[in-house]
Each structure stands twice: as C-alpha cells, then as structure tokens.
Amino acid sequence: MNFRTPAVRLGLLPAGIALALVPSFASAQEAASGTTDLDRISVTGSRIRGANMETQQPILTMTRESLEKQGFSSVADVLNNLTSAGSPAISRSDSLSSGEDVGGAYVDIRNLGAQRTLVLMNGKRLGATTSGLQDLSQIPMSAVERIEVLKDGASSIYGSDAIAGVVNVITRKNVDGGEVKVYFGQYDKGDGDNQQYSMTLGATGERGSLTLSAEYAKQDPVWAKDRWYSRDGGKGPNSTTADWSAVSQNGSWCNPTQVDCTDTDTAVWKTLNPGGNPNNPNDYHQITGAEYANSNEQMSLLTGVERKSLYINGTYDFTDTISLNTDVLYNERNTFQQIAGYPYQSTSFETPLSADSAFNPTAVNGVGGQDVDFRRRLWEVPRTTDSQLKTLRFAPTISGYFELAGKSFDWDVGALWNRNESIKTQRGDMSLIGSQQALGASFINAQGVAQCGTAANPIALGDCRPWNPLLPYGVAGQGSLADQDLQDFLFPTYTTRGVTKTTSFTANLSGSIVALPAGDLGFAVGVEHRKEEGSYVPDAFAQSGMSTGLGQKPTQGEYDLNEVYLELNVPILADMAFAKELTLNVASRYSDYSNFGGTTNSKFGLTWRPMDELLVRGTYAEGFRAPTIADLYGGLSSSFERYIDPCGTTAPGSVAGNGPCSAAGVPANYVQLGQAGEVCGTLPCQSGDQFISGANPNLSPETSKSKTVGLVWSPRWVQGLDVSLDWYRYEIKDMIIADSVDRILRDCYVLGDSSRCDGIVRAADGHISALTYGTANLGSMETEGYDLGVKYRLPELGIGQFNIDWQTSYLAKYDESAQNAAGDNIMIGRVAQDALFRVRSNLAVNWALGDFGVNYTARYYSGMNEDCIAIGCTDPDRIANGEAAPLRKTGSNTFHDLQVSWKAPWDATIALGANNVFDHKGPLMYSAPNSSFAYYGGFDIGRFLYMKYTQKF
C-alpha cells in the first residue's frame, strides 16, 4: 500500500501540476535526485499511476513549506485547522473525559466523526485504539514531508473507516544533509509553555538513502482558574455560588438526632464554624453557597502533553527495477490532566461516619452516638491521570516495475506491524475499602493519637488511619485529610493497561491493459490480509467497584479480514472539441471479516475537461465502517452523565405529570436533581449517580453513500489564478452509536415506549439513581455542503511576491434521525449547533521579498446556536418539529495569525509569530461543546506567541 514510488531513481513528484487543480493549491515539492516519470505517479485515493490521476478527486495537499508558515506545532493542530475539519473528537479542553482515547489527538473530516476518517502514514494504516480512533500524535512533525487529504469516500480503495475521507501523511526520505529546529511559545499570560526540539539527518548514495528524524515536544497544562470563561464556574462570569457544588471541600453533615436526614425536605447540612470544635455539634452552622465548591479552581483547562519520537526511513535499490523502502517509528506520548477532588457522599457508598468514631459529633465522650451521613469533596487530593502511549511501527515494502509487451507495470509487496501500548496512572479516587475502615470505629489512645479500632481491640496505625471528614480543607487536626499518612492509606495509585496491534500484508499490481483511442486503459489490482487485536484492562479496583472512580470492565478481542480490489481507469475521449479529456474511473473492493462476513463497496468517478483551463469531476462512492473491538467486545463502564430529565418541570418541553412519569413514581412537581441531591440550576445537569454503558457483540457495519461534483478553473487570461468549487453529499445508515441517556428518557417518557424504560431506576424522590444502556446500529444522517478554494499568485512586483490562499467550507445540511413527540421518525437539522459551523473560512496572505517573509492568516467561524435553558435566550419562543425548542444564538468569530520570517546568510531561518494576535475571545457556550467548560473546545484561549529557529547544514 505504498502510494509513492519508493525507488530513489524516481524521486518525488513536484506538485506543480496539483497547484492549479486541487483545493490546497500546494507549492512544488522538493524533488530527490534522479528523474521523475510523470506517467507513473500515484496519489491518495487511487492505486493507478498516471499524470492526471490527482485531478479526478477532491484532494488537498499541504507541503512542508506551507506547514512551516503556520504557527502550529503538531500534525493534529494543522489538520484541525482545515475548514473541512469538524470539531476535535477529544479536545485538550475535555478535562472530564476518561477512557483509553483520552490524551490522543484525532481529526474529523466533514463532521462525520474521527472514527470515520481513515488516517494513513505513507499509504499504510495508522494504529488505532480499540474504539477505532487513530492518534495523530504518533507522527512527529519533523518527519512530515507533506499531508494529503482526500475529501471523499474511499472504502473501495482502502476498506473500512474511509467513509468521510482519507488523511495520508507522507514522511521525509532521501534527505541529504541535516536540519535542527527549535520552537518555543507560550500564551501572553505566561502559561501553556510549548517547546519543541527536532533534528533530521540524512545521507543518500547511488543505490539507497537513510533518513533519521528525532523530536522532543512538551506542552504545559493551562489551568481553568486562569481564564475568564472558566475560573468562576459552569456559567463562566455569570456563575454564582448557587452553580457550585454543594459537596464542598468544607465538609458538611446532617445531624440525625435533630432532623430526618433521609428526607430531602427536612435534611439540614451543616459545616464547622471557623475555629470551632469538630466534636461539638453546636459548633456547626448550616452550609451556605459561599462555602460550596467551585471545582474549576482545581481543573486543568488544557491537558499537558509531552512527546518523544524517533523516525527512520531507509531505501535501497536492489536493481534498477526493484527497490526496498522501510519505515520505523518509535513514539512515546505522555499527557497529564487534573480534575477537582472527588465529591464524596457517604450515602452513595453506604459509608457513614460510624457512631463509634472518635470524630462523631453526636457521641458524648465517644459513647451514645449515631451513624452520621456526610458530604466532603476530597480537595486535598485532586484526581490526576497520566496517560502514556508507546508506539512501535515497522512498515517495509518491496516494489518495482517491469515492461511487458511495450507496457509498464508497477508492483509492490508490503507489510505493517504496528503496536500501541498504553498505560494510565491515576490517583485521587478513594479506596472504599480504606474509607470503610477510616470511617469506622476509632478512639484516642494513651498518647492522644486517633487510632482505628477500640481500646480493647486496637488496629495498628500502619494498618489503618482514622479520617475526620468534617474537618474543612485547610483546618488542621487529627484525622485531617491533609495528613500524608492518611492520604497514602486512602488513595492508592491505579494502573490501567492497554495494547492494540495491527498486522497487515499487501500485494498490488498496476499498469495499463490496452491502448484505447483516448489513451491507455489503466488498472490496479491487489489483495490485503489484516488482523486487529486489542485489549484494555482497567485496574483491579476499577473492575471491582471498590473505589470512588468510575467502574470499568476489561475490553479484549480480535478479528481478521481478507480483501481484494480492482480499479479501472477508462479514457473515453481525448483532444476533441469540448472534450480535451473524458475519463471514467471504476473501483470495487470485497472485504471478508471473520466476525460479521463479507461486504462489497464500489466507487465511480468521471473526469471531463471541456477546455484546457476547466475541469469538471464527479464521484459516487459506497462506504462502510466495521464495528471496532470496543464496539463488539468492550467491557461495561460507568460515567456521570449530563442529561435533561423530561419528567422535570424545568425541562424544555417538560412532560411532568404525564402517564409514564407518574407510573415511574415521579412527583408531578419534580425538579431535576443533580449532585448531592441539589436542584439543577443549569440544564443539561450532571448526574450524582453512576450510569452503566457497554458493548454489543451483535453489531453490523455502518454503510454510506457519498457523492461529489467539482469544478477546477485556471483562466489563462489571469496568470496565477486557480479556483476550485466542490459539492459533496453523504448519507450514512446503521450508524454505530452509544445509546444516549437523553434518547432513552425521551423514548420512555415522551414517546411512551415502555420497552425503553427497563434500564431506568428512580429513587423515592424521583431522581434517576441508575441507568444501563449500550451501543446499537441506531443512527442515520445526511450531510451536504460546498468547498471553495481560491489561490492567486500575483505577478512579482518591485515590493515583493504576494500569494493569496482562500479556503472556505459551507455546510448546507446536517440532519440526524430522531423522533418527534408523536413518535414519527424524522430528520432533525443540526447545522450551527454543537460546533457544526455553517461556514468556516481561512484566508492566508503571504509576502516575500528577498530573505524576508510575512504570512498573515484569518480564521473565520460562523455563529453557533445552543439549547437555551436559563441564560440569554435569543429565541425563547422557537418551535421545532412541533415542540418547544428555545435557542441561544452566538455571533461569528475571527482569529488572526501573523508570522514574520528571515532567512539568515548562515543557512538558517528565524520566525516570530502570534496565533490570535488580537487576543479575540469567543462567546460563552453553556452547552460546553467539545469542552468541560462554557466555551467551544476548538477556539483559541488567548494570544499565543512563538519563535522558531531552523538551522540547515
């Protein structure tokens, strides 16, 4: 599956042809020594080599030169800045996200989901997690020669996962010499330091080459308390203490000798007076909102990332017609995230402060007390996760060509071994075994020290440490959670391990069969065998449920497949009036999976050039995505979900008091409750109880159909102007999605589908205390839009050379299947919601004069909408699909980037730049799209300043 001719004698194709024909209008590539055969090149999206193949599909190319002019330091950042890219699957602002994929960097083309964009490295698959996500942080930026993005379905060529398109990262080879690069940047607030150091060395000879690239990169975390939209709480600057968590670091308890603590209407929660005696029940007062916990004070806003990479490419020509190309990659990625200490509620774990505890304020001299329920956020020990991923990749390919009957044929035989090993180290979740002991019987021994057990039957201090959860954070005393020995007893370190392996063997043959009047009939045929293996084994504590952490079960499974494909390129007309070229491209692929059987997917493309300066192209493609290991064999996991309960009186379109809600025991005046049993001030609201989700071994593949029609125009009367316009449409059926809490609640209580109510458990007060759900082939969606690309290279002037590159994506339609209140199946439009921008546009202007250069980029995002619950409704009376659907609308945003560079006479380049140079701030988004905070996770969080120094030798 090598998409570039590996032989040194052929070198690399200059991108001059593509300049006028693809949306990226990439600049010319650096060519290796030797000759370039334009008749035998290949591009992403086709296996047939030919000079015009790159014009048949919407392919965007970013060269190393264009990447250097941006202020982004990773492959993922570059790709997520494309106008055709959707929201990041897991942004660095998703501090509350958990699981195997956290810490990785992913790309989502067309907003169809990162798992529906296939990522290749030199034409071969990138290793994926058990959930099918391909981590771009595996690829060192210093090793990248160019990036090709096929914005079209390509399952007929590459198989599963290429529904939305294909990203092919081409790495450097045939380098002769060396290069050292230093990059350093930080936000103007003095945080988020980003440093990167790389070295590339290469040597070429008559028969081969060796290229080595090493890179170290580190990005420090940014803290939520240091940004305007996150420091005050979930509503940003509009947050009040009522929005904070009642499970506070100050601790609170309910006195069962005074009130019925099991009744939420009568329970009174008290916290210790300043300087008070924690054993005196009279030294407590009712906790106030000012004493609640603003958990954002302890949360990381952007996770920290550290990477170490080593990439080696070797080529060797055995003969003039047979060559070896080998890639070896080792990458180690570490990420750090922190969230606030756990909101411990004794009622959730049935671990009250024992009546026999030395710290129980209801006891008199340690006698006659009652068990006490309490709430205490474990502020002293924030929850941290260190995620480490080690990647080892080996991809050899032997390729060559031969002549037969006057025709040239290309062949290659290749293999891929990719292994990803992940280790997650977590701390901050309390052991329930430890807390039961620490909250149990204890006494003050003869030395005046609190000790577990009783005076008659003591437990050694080394085996148990008593805990006083009623001591507020920052208050010293026996049983304080600030005590290191107590922390060591209560907070173990949890380790989760995962391994995924991809093994594949491929063989391909391409060439021309026969000469037709309009040109050669080209073909490509090939076979592939691939095996995917994966496991993700949570810590024993997580599996047993004996900690405050989210419960998880192991994921483990494997499958293999055999595939065969055929592609034909049929020239129909050539060099005729209104038909300089008319070519049909047809491809089909059969895939036989060990777990669900076979599937055949085909693609048809038509290229018409009525005149030299105008190209018309169109494609129709079938696609599919096979269920992943996690989809099929994933273990159960738990989470605290954000949702809207339709039985709550404050829910939009509330059905409080209807038959299904009443049958479930929900009071007609019920208001949705969140953590600590408090009324939710903002919806959606996070559950205070863990919900359970899992896999489904009976899943079938997703299927898709995609269509594109495009124009590429290079008017001869305007030298240097190139314009492209592409229309696309995708339809996906049988989408594999996690059944959502909101979907289940709607089906049960709004639509009255009793079969959907089985997994819902409600407590006596009406709140949902447990819910179980899984994945299913539930969804379908349709999307449609346009990509416009304009590049103009102005004639060289006395004041310098100007280049303009303007790329725009317009999302006309994004509909997902749903049901209305009457139970009818409908499609709901979601354009401009959940970061589905109607318009994304990037305008880049480059100026160069001698050794000096300036690059300016404007990144435009159209406005977004979100469900309006409590604040700032701009359309409160909106009705959609026969239901109340109030909206909050936000305006458009533009971020400006600037870079100034100078080529020094000692063969060095120095660049200074700023991303978001005017420090533009995006709007508050209370729905927190792709983020854990009231802000879109894909927006800049401040002005970022950087410098780059590159030395060649």
Side-chain angles (χ1 to χ4, degrees):
M1 294 174 65
N2 193 345
F3 287 81
R4 295 285 165 176
T5 306
V8 176
R9 65 180 295 275
L10 295 179
L12 298 174
L13 168 71
I17 297 174
L19 259 171
L21 297 173
V22 298
S24 66
F25 308 106
S27 60
Q29 306 294 317
E30 178 182 354
S33 61
T35 61
T36 300
D37 186 345
L38 294 183
D39 290 330
R40 295 177 52 245
I41 62 150
S42 61
V43 297
T44 302
S46 175
R47 300 295 181 88
I48 299 175
R49 290 173 167 83
N52 295 321
M53 297 305 297
E54 72 270 27
T55 67
Q56 294 186 357
Q57 302 173 88
I59 300 174
L60 183 150
T61 302
M62 292 177 285
T63 68
R64 184 169 184 79
E65 180 184 4
S66 66
L67 297 178
E68 291 290 349
K69 295 176 182 177
Q70 302 183 24
F72 304 111
S73 59
S74 71
V75 174
D77 289 342
V78 167
L79 289 170
N80 283 314
N81 188 51
L82 298 177
T83 61
S84 56
S87 302
I90 301 177
S91 79
R92 290 180 63 202
S93 293
D94 279 325
S95 302
L96 289 172
S97 57
S98 61
E100 178 186 5
D101 300 317
V102 172
Y106 314 101
V107 63
D108 171 8
I109 301 298
R110 304 289 192 211
N111 292 288
L112 297 181
Q115 68 274 35
R116 298 181 185 93
T117 297
L118 179 63
V119 180
L120 308 174
M121 181 174 171
N122 296 323
K124 297 183 180 181
R125 288 174 176 261
L126 203 63
T129 66
T130 61
S131 57
L133 294 184
Q134 303 146 98
D135 184 6
L136 290 163
S137 68
Q138 300 173 55
I139 306 174
M141 191 73 168
S142 60
V144 176
E145 177 64 30
R146 64 186 175 276
I147 302 174
E148 298 176 348
V149 181
L150 171 64
K151 297 183 289 183
D152 185 17
S155 287
S156 61
I157 301 298
Y158 301 109
S160 177
D161 308 330
I163 284 180
V166 179
V167 173
N168 192 8
V169 180
I170 310 297
T171 56
R172 303 173 75 176
K173 59 182 178 181
N174 300 324
V175 173
D176 198 357
E179 177 183 279
V180 174
K181 180 180 294 184
V182 176
Y183 174 102
F184 182 80
Q186 66 174 205
Y187 290 99
D188 60 358
K189 294 184 179 296
D191 57 8
D193 288 8
N194 185 343
Q195 52 187 308
Q196 186 168 305
Y197 311 93
S198 64
M199 177 180 67
T200 301
L201 301 173
T204 61
E206 291 185 1
R207 304 203 68 84
S209 68
L210 183 65
T211 301
L212 180 149
S213 185
E215 181 175 287
Y216 172 80
K218 183 179 181 182
Q219 301 177 46
D220 290 345
V222 176
W223 299 97
K225 60 185 176 63
D226 294 327
R227 289 298 184 271
W228 65 277
Y229 63 86
S230 55
R231 65 186 174 215
D232 299 313
K235 295 180 182 176
N238 297 315
S239 301
T240 66
T241 58
D243 300 305
W244 294 355
S245 173
V247 184
S248 165
Q249 67 268 30
N250 293 294
S252 61
W253 67 291
C254 181
N255 192 338
T257 66
Q258 297 177 348
V259 297
D260 181 1
C261 294
T262 63
D263 188 337
T264 56
D265 294 327
T266 61
V268 177
W269 295 89
K270 296 183 177 183
T271 192
L272 187 67
N273 296 332
N277 177 5
N279 281 85
N280 183 355
N282 298 318
D283 275 359
Y284 290 83
H285 65 275
Q286 187 169 352
I287 192 169
T288 65
E291 296 164 304
Y292 284 4
N294 176 11
S295 57
N296 287 11
E297 292 179 7
Q298 284 198 327
M299 293 180 65
S300 54
L301 177 68
L302 293 183
T303 56
V305 183
E306 183 178 21
R307 292 187 296 107
K308 303 171 186 176
S309 304
L310 178 64
Y311 169 77
I312 301 173
N313 172 266
T315 67
Y316 185 75
D317 291 345
F318 295 111
T319 69
D320 288 341
T321 60
I322 300 177
S323 301
L324 169 70
N325 183 86
T326 300
D327 292 327
V328 178
L329 171 68
Y330 175 79
N331 183 75
E332 185 175 315
R333 183 259 292 160
N334 294 274
T335 58
F336 171 83
Q337 65 186 122
Q338 177 176 301
I339 60 176
Y342 185 83
Y344 196 105
Q345 301 176 69
S346 63
T347 53
S348 297
F349 304 109
E350 298 182 356
T351 54
L353 181 61
S354 171
D356 298 320
S357 170
F359 306 127
N360 192 313
T362 66
V364 179
N365 295 324
V367 178
Q370 296 186 32
D371 287 351
V372 166
D373 283 323
F374 66 90
R375 301 168 178 169
R376 176 63 152 83
R377 187 173 284 272
L378 311 180
W379 203 256
E380 290 83 351
V381 188
R383 287 167 287 175
T384 60
T385 302
D386 290 284
S387 302
Q388 180 185 80
L389 179 73
K390 294 182 179 179
T391 298
L392 182 60
R393 178 184 179 89
F394 177 52
T397 300
I398 297 177
S399 62
Y401 70 95
F402 60 90
E403 304 284 343
L404 182 64
K407 300 292 184 180
S408 296
F409 296 87
D410 295 276
W411 60 270
D412 64 77
V413 177
L416 168 66
W417 291 274
N418 194 102
R419 185 180 192 273
N420 289 343
E421 179 183 358
S422 65
I423 301 176
K424 288 186 179 291
T425 305
Q426 298 167 291
R427 194 163 189 266
D429 279 305
M430 184 177 285
S431 161
L432 296 180
I433 297 173
S435 67
Q436 289 170 356
Q437 293 176 307
L439 296 168
S442 59
F443 68 103
I444 305 299
N445 63 22
Q447 289 74 38
V449 176
Q451 186 172 349
C452 293
T454 63
N457 189 19
I459 301 174
L461 288 175
D463 296 331
C464 180
R465 295 280 178 174
W467 173 34
N468 185 357
L470 308 185
L471 273 181
Y473 171 75
V475 176
Q478 295 221 48
S480 168
L481 200 56
D483 180 72
Q484 187 62 53
D485 289 333
L486 179 58
Q487 290 182 15
D488 292 341
F489 175 68
L490 291 175
F491 295 94
T493 297
Y494 306 96
T495 302
T496 298
R497 298 180 181 274
V499 175
T500 58
K501 299 177 184 178
T502 298
T503 305
S504 73
F505 302 95
T506 60
N508 301 286
L509 175 66
S510 65
S512 58
I513 304 175
V514 64
L516 301 178
D520 287 343
L521 173 63
F523 81 96
V525 63
V527 295
E528 177 176 0
H529 171 79
R530 178 161 56 92
K531 183 176 183 179
E532 300 284 354
E533 305 169 75
S535 65
Y536 185 70
V537 183
D539 189 278
F541 261 101
Q543 295 189 48
S544 67
M546 294 307 296
S547 78
T548 58
L550 301 175
Q552 300 179 68
K553 295 295 183 183
T555 293
Q556 184 157 355
E558 63 180 55
Y559 62 86
D560 59 73
L561 62 147
N562 295 298
E563 298 180 290
V564 59
Y565 76 90
L566 173 65
E567 181 184 6
L568 297 175
N569 200 63
V570 185
I572 301 173
L573 299 174
D575 298 324
M576 300 179 64
F578 301 106
K580 294 294 182 180
E581 177 191 352
L582 182 63
T583 303
L584 175 67
N585 183 270
V586 181
S588 189
R589 188 183 193 92
Y590 175 74
S591 306
D592 184 15
Y593 280 74
S594 62
N595 49 357
F596 67 80
T599 176
T600 301
N601 295 270
S602 301
K603 184 174 183 176
F604 305 88
L606 188 67
T607 304
W608 173 43
R609 194 188 303 272
M611 59 189 73
D612 288 334
E613 61 263 34
L614 179 64
L615 173 75
V616 181
R617 63 192 177 198
T619 63
Y620 170 84
E622 298 172 332
F624 76 105
R625 184 175 80 88
T628 66
I629 290 172
D631 290 333
L632 298 167
Y633 313 115
L636 296 176
S637 62
S638 61
S639 59
F640 293 96
E641 294 293 322
R642 292 169 57 92
Y643 66 95
I644 298 176
D645 189 343
C647 293
T649 56
T650 58
S654 170
V655 293
N658 74 353
C661 293
S662 299
V666 184
N669 61 349
Y670 170 72
V671 179
Q672 185 174 343
L673 304 179
Q675 291 192 353
E678 296 293 314
V679 171
C680 294
T682 303
L683 297 176
C685 181
Q686 189 174 35
S687 166
D689 300 275
Q690 296 185 30
F691 295 170
I692 305 298
S693 59
N696 181 354
N698 299 315
L699 292 172
S700 58
E702 300 177 345
T703 60
S704 71
K705 295 180 180 179
S706 65
K707 305 170 187 176
T708 69
V709 176
L711 303 173
V712 182
W713 182 46
S714 302
R716 59 177 178 270
W717 59 86
V718 184
Q719 189 69 30
L721 174 64
D722 305 289
V723 181
S724 69
L725 176 64
D726 287 285
W727 168 84
Y728 67 87
R729 178 181 176 86
Y730 291 82
E731 299 178 26
I732 306 178
K733 296 182 179 180
D734 296 322
M735 292 177 68
I736 301 170
I737 61 175
D739 199 357
S740 72
V741 174
D742 284 313
R743 181 194 291 265
I744 293 171
L745 297 182
R746 177 182 175 82
D747 290 349
C748 173
Y749 300 112
V750 178
L751 304 181
D753 184 351
S754 59
S755 65
R756 298 283 277 163
C757 306
D758 294 342
I760 306 171
V761 178
R762 290 187 179 266
D765 59 8
H767 88 273
I768 300 173
S769 58
L771 196 153
T772 303
Y773 57 101
T775 55
N777 291 102
L778 283 172
S780 64
M781 64 86 62
E782 300 174 1
T783 186
E784 182 178 349
Y786 302 86
D787 287 335
L788 172 67
V790 178
K791 181 171 182 177
Y792 184 33
R793 180 181 176 89
L794 279 71
E796 189 167 357
L797 306 172
I799 60 173
Q801 177 74 59
F802 287 88
N803 290 277
I804 299 172
D805 190 352
W806 178 35
Q807 304 295 320
T808 300
S809 293
Y810 178 84
L811 183 61
K813 177 181 181 181
Y814 196 99
D815 294 353
E816 291 183 336
S817 59
Q819 290 181 317
N820 61 17
D824 301 321
N825 293 323
I826 60 173
M827 299 295 287
I828 294 181
R830 296 185 55 233
V831 174
Q833 297 185 30
D834 295 330
L836 295 168
F837 298 99
R838 173 77 71 180
V839 178
R840 281 192 64 178
S841 185
N842 292 344
L843 173 64
V845 180
N846 180 257
W847 168 81
L849 179 62
D851 294 328
F852 293 91
V854 176
N855 193 76
Y856 162 78
T857 303
R859 295 175 281 125
Y860 171 83
Y861 301 79
S862 60
M864 287 187 286
N865 304 327
E866 63 181 352
D867 291 340
C868 179
I869 305 301
I871 298 177
C873 283
T874 56
D875 192 358
D877 301 321
R878 175 175 175 266
I879 302 296
N881 304 307
E883 303 175 52
L887 277 184
R888 176 178 177 268
K889 300 181 180 180
T890 65
S892 61
N893 296 270
T894 303
F895 299 90
H896 303 268
D897 306 333
L898 184 67
Q899 183 185 108
V900 179
S901 62
W902 173 55
K903 295 180 180 178
W906 55 88
D907 207 10
T909 301
I910 302 171
L912 300 175
N915 292 341
N916 191 18
V917 65
F918 299 121
D919 196 23
H920 176 74
K921 297 177 175 61
L924 290 171
M925 297 290 293
Y926 302 113
S927 57
N930 298 96
S931 174
S932 299
F933 309 94
Y935 197 73
Y936 169 52
F939 279 167
D940 297 45
I941 66 168
R943 181 188 294 115
F944 186 81
L945 308 172
Y946 66 89
M947 65 81 63
K948 293 192 288 187
Y949 180 87
T950 304
Q951 179 67 61
K952 294 184 178 180
F953 54 90

